[in-house]
Amino acid sequence: MPKLYIETVGCQMNMLDSELVVASLRQDGYELTATAADADTILFNTCSVRQHAEDKIYSALGRLKNAKRGNPDKVIGVLGCMAQKDQGLIFKRAPYVDFVVGPGQLHQVPALVREARINRGQRMEVSLGRTDGSRHEIERSHESFDPLRDPAMRPTPYQAYVRIMIGCDKFCTYCIVPSVRGPEQSRPPAAILAEARQLAGEGCLEITLLGQTVNSYKYREGDRTWRLSDLLEALHEIEGLRRIKFVTNYPKDMTDDLLAAVRDLPKCSKYLHVPVQSGSNAVLKRMKRGYTIEDYREMLARTYDSIPGVAVTSDFIVGFCGETEADFEQSVELVCGSRFKNSFIFKYSERPGTKGAELYADDVPDDTKRRRNNELLEVQNEICEADNQAFLGREVTVLVEGRSKASEKHGEDGDRMQLTRRTNCDRIVVFEGNRRQIGQFLPIVIYDANAHTLFGEIVTQHVGPEVFSLTLPVKIGLR
Ligand code: SF4
């Protein structure tokens, strides 16, 4: 059996793409291997959102130079966003790469691997750029890659990502996604529902719907327009599915019908990821986010009012072009006043090809970016810890995903082990349990908490004397 090694960086969309690419290569007889040295075919599914993610891939490619020289039959492919962005530059920097495939052309990967094993020529399959044709032509060149699902390819059989849209039309000035993933295109509801039914039939209990701006989902069908709330209602009917999540939301598209669906549909996780990026209107304007901080606060207030117990998380970019101390303080203020369950904080990384790189100087020194990153994280962590403390003594329900990181690290392999999973509002819980409980929904009572994790115990049924006093006369009566 030929062996495949794949390395994936980036977001959930990339993880899903890798899962599907691996599944399609398994049909050609490939089996996965954990090391590049063992592999006949090596694939990198890349990300372009930050410079660091690209540097990582180029240095991994650099390390393969000698391996390829020693074994010219090894096939090396670069997929994903960096492939779409850098195109021929990848061949220049790593001439031994066999093919470069953008995220809109992933269906070609099996054929390209087959071809690379026979001919030694290089191939590049990428989509059109945003100004390289009519909207229709550009859309057609960015195909959503959603072949039939292979349950063996998911890290856990109980959860799966389901793509509901690709691309983005928002054009935030710092972001490369609209160029590399193309125009916003929603998948037909029938295809999404069929995929979700198949997953549920295979025992999947939780699905996470994916889109760059997932709440902008819109699909016209005759005279009906499907919104995300309509899709959630239809997915909610699928027997076997127990939990539905969706990421990532765009603040301006957080409509009341969607909030009502999350509130009213019991299977919808009470968790929303709604990135704000900055607390300063001046920075938001330069980022071209399309809302003011007042709009964001209004959306947040509406969300908290509409959905009792909802957890909201956010993203921040610190050190964006021209960000002053006063701008940064407004981000700190926003974090203090917003009770985010968590915030993902990133230092601004200039991306060639974006409007941000063209229009503004990346003028915040790196040590200032680092300091702001740490300060904001510290404030957010204090809030996380205080909020998590409020869970002490409370009972939560989790879908048990598998072993905790600590259990994996310590190589626990008996039946008893530390297990982990998230609550309905996406908080991580760890607890002692049994391997057989993986894949079950369990009640857990929380006895400790830090900023990132709740620690709990499985609630067991207590059979006390009152039960005996009730059952005894019945049994006697039966005699
Ligand atoms: S909404 Fe903005 S940040 Fe998000 S993917 Fe689109 S352009 Fe990028």
Side-chain angles (χ1 to χ4, degrees), residues 5-9 18 36 42-46 56-57 60 63:
Y5 173 81
I6 186 162
E7 207 169 296
T8 307
V9 285
S18 289
I42 301 171
L43 300 179
F44 293 96
N45 194 5
T46 62
K56 207 174 140 185
I57 296 297
R63 288 194 295 274

Side-chain angles (χ1 to χ4, degrees), residues 168 170-172 174-175 177-178 212-213 250 289:
C168 181
K170 306 292 193 235
F171 290 101
C172 304
Y174 55 83
C175 185
V177 167
Q212 309 296 345
T213 54
Y250 184 65
R289 284 291 285 174

